[in-house]
Amino acid sequence: MKKEISAEIMTIGDELLYGQVIDTNSAWLGQELGKIGIRVKQITSISDNPEAICEALTQAISRVDIVLITGGLGPTKDDLTKHTLARYFNSELQLHQPSLEDVESIFKRFNRPMLEVNRQQAFLPASCTPIRNVLGTAPGMLFHEQETVIVSMPGVPFEMKRMVTDTVLPYLQDHFHLPQIIHKVIQTIGIGESFLAEKIADWEDNLPAHLKLAYLPYLAGVRLRLTGFSDNQQELETQLQEQVDRLTALIPDHIFAYGEVTLEEAIGQLLKDRNLTISTAESCTGGLVAHKLTSVPGSSAYFMGSVVAYNNEVKKAQLGVTTEILEQHGAVSEETVRAMAEGVRKLLKTDIGISTSGIAGPDGGTPDKPVGTIWIAYADAHQTIARKITYNKTRLLNIEYTTLQVLDLVRQSLRRRVEE
């Protein structure tokens, strides 16, 4: 098998360290490198400091085959990357005429005068291979140091992505002999990471050496990523699918999708396949369930509407929850969510109605019903199912968790309908 090629991503800029700008570049680069068989070994964020940049670069060159640097190539005084790299590689800055012509064409296109600081962006270290920036004024730079390829690119995401797609990835594919890397993602819900690991331990222990499993937990479940390395793509695809099939047989109730599919997308497909409609009655989630469902393109085929019944008077007037139920059991109760789910289904004439009511916090709890006490319900023509959730985290986490749980209740109910 070919040697594994590793990469390090370096992001430069105080704004990243202060949290003023979110680093989306690294996530995108990691995904794109993985597609062509390059494994990201480390991601490093560095301040706008020449010494820090040089030290980090020396360390990166010693441990990986590729270093991809983003940021610090703008025209202002705090953009130090180009001058630092010129010093690091002991290389004078020279005017690169094609880059100057690109910069001039941008200013001409927008009918704006070009300043000297913009002209200076066309001066590049003599030892680098310039990388054209067709969307901006800062060219990229490619260097070789020992056996390592170093690429410096702008931090502006759309400029960096175009440069990577057009130039960097094709160069890396030509320069290195890359193995095939294929990822299979299995989306699970309703089982924690440790319980899941125990349930599939024998299967995981018997995976071939070239197949690796990663656990990526989220609020209500775990994304499993099965990664394979091989020189034979077709054979690897077959092996991965065989393992996914074996895994599916072990945890069929917890898998809701394969690949990068969200829970709401998976539910939307189930509803479309069965030609069913759905509506929501929400109290503690405040419309988040409806938002999740309608975030899916084409959701108008199955989502009819929602009632956000935060106040008890709305529960009574719009959803038909009786005064007796509210007085005897309270808004956060099995009886209330059952009535809400049945009421919204009747009101909006849908096949399915779902509901939520709970105490999201941080206050409002009682000894009998502490913060994090939540009820959810599902109703269709055949049955009404209610479940109690106890999840006392922060307010926003309680709301998000409830939303995932009620959506999973829909998924489970639809699966049972098919099995019956």
Side-chain angles (χ1 to χ4, degrees):
M1 184 174 171
K2 297 171 184 174
K3 171 183 176 290
E4 182 182 74
I5 303 300
S6 62
E8 181 164 336
I9 298 169
M10 293 175 52
T11 61
I12 297 175
D14 290 339
E15 68 277 7
L16 296 169
L17 299 175
Y18 293 148
Q20 296 168 330
V21 173
I22 303 299
D23 175 23
T24 60
N25 287 345
S26 294
W28 185 85
L29 283 169
Q31 292 169 0
E32 296 305 304
L33 290 170
K35 291 176 183 177
I36 64 169
I38 297 172
R39 184 174 71 89
V40 175
K41 191 173 184 179
Q42 183 162 322
I43 298 174
T44 306
S45 291
I46 310 158
S47 66
D48 293 305
N49 178 284
E51 286 70 29
I53 294 170
C54 290
E55 181 181 353
L57 184 55
T58 297
Q59 293 176 2
I61 290 171
S62 70
R63 61 186 169 227
V64 295
D65 305 290
I66 302 161
V67 181
L68 298 184
I69 305 170
T70 66
L73 296 184
T76 56
K77 292 181 180 180
D78 63 338
D79 291 306
L80 305 173
T81 302
K82 179 174 67 176
H83 296 278
T84 301
L85 291 176
R87 189 183 78 182
Y88 186 89
F89 291 107
N90 194 27
S91 182
E92 295 291 330
L93 293 177
Q94 295 181 353
L95 178 65
H96 183 246
Q97 189 62 35
S99 294
L100 178 61
E101 293 171 2
D102 284 340
V103 175
E104 289 174 337
S105 69
I106 289 175
F107 282 89
K108 183 177 180 180
R109 186 162 67 246
F110 291 101
N111 194 27
R112 294 172 58 187
M114 190 175 81
L115 304 176
E116 178 59 26
V117 291
N118 301 116
R119 184 175 182 275
Q120 289 296 319
Q121 290 186 282
F123 281 78
L124 302 174
S127 61
C128 84
T129 300
I131 303 175
R132 189 181 183 197
N133 185 350
V134 298
L135 299 176
T137 59
M141 298 167 285
L142 188 148
F143 302 87
H144 287 267
E145 178 69 14
Q146 301 171 28
E147 300 297 321
T148 303
V149 174
I150 301 98
V151 182
S152 175
M153 299 169 289
V156 180
F158 69 87
E159 294 181 23
M160 180 275 296
K161 290 179 181 179
R162 179 67 180 270
M163 195 175 289
V164 168
T165 302
D166 287 358
T167 305
V168 178
L169 292 181
Y171 176 83
L172 295 177
Q173 287 175 299
D174 288 340
H175 186 77
F176 294 99
H177 297 288
L178 299 174
Q180 291 290 331
I181 297 182
I182 301 175
H183 302 288
K184 295 287 186 181
V185 175
I186 304 96
Q187 304 277 7
T188 77
I189 191 169
I191 186 169
E193 182 179 10
S194 57
F195 290 100
L196 178 60
E198 184 177 357
K199 199 171 184 67
I200 65 174
D202 289 342
W203 169 82
E204 183 179 1
D205 290 342
N206 287 288
L207 284 173
H210 63 287
L211 302 185
K212 304 296 182 183
L213 183 69
Y215 293 79
L216 308 171
Y218 65 99
L219 198 56
V222 183
R223 292 171 67 245
L224 295 173
R225 187 189 66 226
L226 187 61
T227 301
F229 304 81
S230 176
D231 295 336
N232 188 319
Q233 181 175 3
Q234 185 174 357
E235 183 179 280
L236 182 58
E237 283 277 7
T238 300
Q239 292 172 340
L240 284 168
Q241 191 56 54
E242 288 175 352
Q243 294 299 332
V244 170
D245 292 341
R246 291 172 186 168
L247 177 63
T248 300
L250 294 174
I251 51 170
D253 294 340
H254 296 291
I255 295 175
F256 68 82
Y258 303 91
E260 299 300 334
V261 178
T262 64
L263 180 57
E264 51 268 28
E265 288 173 334
I267 289 171
Q269 192 60 54
L270 288 173
L271 291 168
K272 284 199 289 188
D273 291 345
R274 292 156 176 75
N275 195 30
L276 298 173
T277 57
I278 193 169
S279 57
T280 70
E282 302 183 56
S283 184
C284 65
T285 47
L288 184 58
V289 181
H291 168 71
K292 291 281 190 182
L293 289 170
T294 56
S295 68
V296 180
S299 55
S300 60
Y302 50 84
F303 183 81
M304 296 298 105
S306 178
V307 175
V308 179
Y310 218 67
N311 185 276
N312 283 349
E313 294 304 314
V314 180
K315 293 180 178 71
K316 291 191 287 186
Q318 299 298 320
L319 300 174
V321 182
T322 65
T323 301
E324 290 74 20
I325 286 177
L326 292 169
E327 289 180 349
Q328 292 179 23
H329 304 283
V332 181
S333 65
E334 177 178 358
E335 290 78 7
T336 295
V337 291
R338 282 176 171 272
M340 289 172 64
E342 293 166 357
V344 76
R345 178 176 173 270
K346 180 179 178 181
L347 176 69
L348 298 180
K349 299 179 174 59
T350 56
D351 299 300
I352 297 166
I354 55 177
S355 63
T356 65
S357 186
I359 305 168
D363 49 28
T366 67
D368 292 336
K369 297 177 182 179
V371 171
T373 303
I374 299 160
W375 280 93
I376 61 176
Y378 165 99
D380 61 22
H382 309 288
Q383 62 181 345
T384 300
I385 303 169
R387 287 184 183 170
K388 183 181 179 181
I389 302 168
T390 303
Y391 193 76
N392 186 9
K393 303 296 183 183
T394 66
R395 178 179 179 83
L396 292 180
L397 284 177
N398 289 340
I399 291 170
E400 178 72 20
Y401 184 77
T402 303
T403 298
L404 292 172
Q405 289 297 318
V406 75
L407 290 175
D408 191 43
L409 179 57
V410 175
R411 179 190 71 88
Q412 295 175 40
S413 301
L414 291 176
R415 284 187 74 239
R416 278 196 297 271
R417 285 179 62 154
V418 172
E419 292 170 358
E420 293 170 358

